[in-house]
């Protein structure tokens, strides 16, 4: 079976017996209410990350970047969720513009061509490995034994 041709440098994560999917419904949700730890000042880090991600992704349709009011990970600001309709949802905290934007751009490229959006831990940038908050299976993932859907 032919597989989609990812962008150069993309880490492709195919299971050998599963067809690849090129996701075009990836959503990157950025918490805009996160404040630096202990700060009483209005949030600036989340909005700055949101703006930088919107510039990075632009209109290329790799991902839709949106603001969200809260992802309830206040102890790990700034928090971002990456999700799609049939893929895992990844929640990352402790992000900043300088390291977070390139790491998320690479992650989204890999996520788009990975089965169920499951990007292996080693294929993620260090800032995302350290900032991992949660990995939530897609809604259709319900076999009793926890295996991927067939």
């Amino acid at each position: 079976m032919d597989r989609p041709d990812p962008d150069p440098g993309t880490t492709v994560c195919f299971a050998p017996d599963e067809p690849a999917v090129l996701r075009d419904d990836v959503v990157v949700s950025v918490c805009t209410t996160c404040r630096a730890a202990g700060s009483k000042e209005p949030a600036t880090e989340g909005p700055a990350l949101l703006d930088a991600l919107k510039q990075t992704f632009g209109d290329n349709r790799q991902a839709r970047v949106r603001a969200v009011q809260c992802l309830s990970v206040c102890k790990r600001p700034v928090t971002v969720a990456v999700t799609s309709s049939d893929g895992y949802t990844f929640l990352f905290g402790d992000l900043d513009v300088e390291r977070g934007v390139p790491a998320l751009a690479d992650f989204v490229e890999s996520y788009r061509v990975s089965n169920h959006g499951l990007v292996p831990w080693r294929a993620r940038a260090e800032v995302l490995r350290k900032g991992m908050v949660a990995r939530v299976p897609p809604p259709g993932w319900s076999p009793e034994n926890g295996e991927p859907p067939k």
Side-chain angles (χ1 to χ4, degrees):
M1 168 174 259
D2 290 336
R3 302 214 186 265
D5 188 22
D7 296 329
T10 299
T11 303
V12 182
C13 308
F14 300 118
D17 57 344
E18 292 187 42
V21 174
L22 183 59
R23 260 173 211 81
D24 61 359
D25 65 342
V26 178
V27 177
V28 178
S29 301
V30 181
C31 178
T32 57
T33 56
C34 284
R35 289 185 272 201
S39 175
K40 302 282 188 211
E41 298 299 316
T44 58
E45 290 85 0
L49 184 63
L50 174 69
D51 290 344
L53 286 168
K54 282 185 173 185
Q55 287 179 350
T56 296
F57 287 104
D59 291 329
N60 69 10
R61 304 288 182 226
Q62 285 185 331
R64 180 170 64 97
V65 178
R66 67 178 181 171
V68 293
Q69 290 299 308
C70 184
L71 290 171
S72 292
V73 189
C74 301
K75 294 184 184 218
R76 308 259 325 259
V78 167
T79 305
V80 171
V82 178
T83 194
S84 66
S85 61
D86 69 341
Y88 270 87
T89 296
F90 285 86
L91 196 60
F92 301 107
D94 304 320
L95 297 177
D96 60 42
V97 172
E98 185 178 327
R99 295 176 307 141
V101 171
L104 286 165
D106 288 345
F107 181 84
V108 167
E109 283 184 39
S110 295
Y111 183 93
R112 290 182 68 228
V113 297
S114 299
N115 289 318
H116 310 291
L118 189 53
V119 178
W121 184 80
R122 291 187 188 275
R124 301 176 207 156
E126 183 176 350
V127 68
L128 299 182
R129 286 186 230 154
K130 288 183 176 182
M132 182 63 140
V133 174
R135 181 182 86 179
V136 181
W141 198 286
S142 59
E144 291 296 319
N145 64 2
E147 291 291 321
K150 302 288 185 226

